[in-house]
Amino acid sequence: QVQLVESGGGVVQPGGSLRLSCAASGFTFSGYGMHWVRQAPGKGLEWVAFIRYDGSNKYYADSVKGRFTVSRDNSKNTLYLLMNSLRPEDTAVYYCVKGHSSSWNYFDYWGQGNLVTVSS
Amino acid sequence: EIVMTQSPATLSVSPGDTATLSCRASQSVSSNLAWYHQKPGQAPRLLIYGASTRATGIPARFSGSGSGTEFTLTISSLQSEDFAVYYCQQYKNWPPWTFGQGTKVEIK
């Protein structure tokens, strides 16, 4: 079965950096686009970033563009999110999410989430 | 950017009753609409895609309808595990992928 396990979250000061990882299993990781979605405490869902199956294209929400970088290592079945210049408003649970397909790009499997807290 | 608007924000329903949730898109998304639910402390889970197709393992009491800009999620014979927050999402025009603000279905 599909499993997505995030790691790397924690507490960081404003202006700091953090890298999230997502270990994927149960499907052919190299064949699917992957997303990061976040949820601030008590709030709704916000799409953050998407990377195509081969890493050829990357897309970002305006709120993180220029600060966050999504990447993947298909040899390790792992997705990453490098977060720089973190702000208090980046505090959220970050979910690693599998895209269904390039034509029907809805979110079919979600990781359990990883909390990132930006605070001094 | 396509803005998704859900109503109502909160829906109070008795177990065994039917809940009807609405989602509106600011422009047509055809049938490129998904529904997710999220129980407290858990990750969201896909319920419906293509506006009306149930995801794997989702019971038949969940049904989706609509196309274009108006969509509905109906949950019949509500069970205790159905009390959660429900989100709609469009995947027609991206980026960005956009969600509604959510509808909380609570026990009446």
Side-chain angles (χ1 to χ4, degrees):
Chain A
Q1 72 282 18
V2 172
Q3 282 199 311
L4 300 167
V5 180
E6 300 98 338
S7 60
V11 180
V12 60
Q13 291 189 338
S17 299
L18 209 57
R19 189 180 81 160
L20 302 181
S21 300
C22 171
S25 61
F27 66 104
T28 304
F29 181 71
S30 60
Y32 293 90
M34 297 293 296
H35 300 262
W36 289 98
V37 176
R38 70 184 180 183
Q39 185 171 37
K43 302 297 184 182
L45 302 171
E46 180 189 17
W47 169 79
V48 172
F50 171 68
I51 183 169
R52 288 197 186 272
Y53 68 98
D54 58 358
S56 59
N57 293 93
K58 304 174 185 181
Y59 305 90
Y60 300 93
D62 287 345
S63 57
V64 307
K65 200 172 293 181
R67 301 187 299 122
F68 289 13
T69 302
V70 61
S71 62
R72 64 192 298 160
D73 186 337
N74 285 345
S75 68
K76 295 182 178 180
N77 289 349
T78 303
L79 175 72
Y80 301 100
L81 184 68
L82 176 61
M83 303 181 291
N84 293 325
S85 303
L86 282 161
R87 306 166 179 168
E89 55 265 35
D90 295 318
T91 294
V93 173
Y94 285 74
Y95 295 101
C96 165
V97 185
K98 175 182 170 293
H100 177 70
S101 72
S102 57
S103 299
W104 287 59
N105 206 339
Y106 55 86
F107 303 171
D108 55 7
Y109 292 95
W110 298 63
Q112 84 285 356
N114 205 219
L115 177 62
V116 172
T117 302
V118 184
S119 174
S120 53
Chain B
E1 172 177 332
I2 297 178
V3 177
M4 307 301 292
T5 303
Q6 291 184 241
S7 61
T10 303
L11 190 60
S12 297
V13 186
S14 299
D17 285 353
T18 296
T20 303
L21 289 67
S22 295
C23 175
R24 174 176 294 178
S26 60
Q27 63 189 78
S28 177
V29 299
S30 300
S31 295
N32 296 286
L33 190 285
W35 289 94
Y36 305 85
H37 72 171
Q38 184 178 33
K39 300 175 187 178
Q42 296 187 18
R45 180 183 180 185
L46 175 67
L47 290 173
I48 300 280
Y49 62 90
S52 61
T53 303
R54 284 189 302 277
T56 303
I58 301 303
R61 64 179 182 272
F62 291 90
S63 63
S65 63
S67 67
T69 62
E70 300 284 343
F71 300 88
T72 300
L73 175 69
T74 302
I75 315 168
S76 59
S77 301
L78 268 158
Q79 301 190 7
S80 58
E81 62 264 32
D82 300 334
F83 293 96
V85 179
Y86 291 80
Y87 295 94
C88 64
Q89 178 220 16
Q90 68 84 20
Y91 51 96
K92 170 68 173 175
N93 290 351
W94 51 266
W97 287 259
T98 48
F99 294 90
Q101 77 279 19
T103 291
K104 181 180 181 180
V105 177
E106 64 177 24
I107 300 175
K108 186 173 182 180

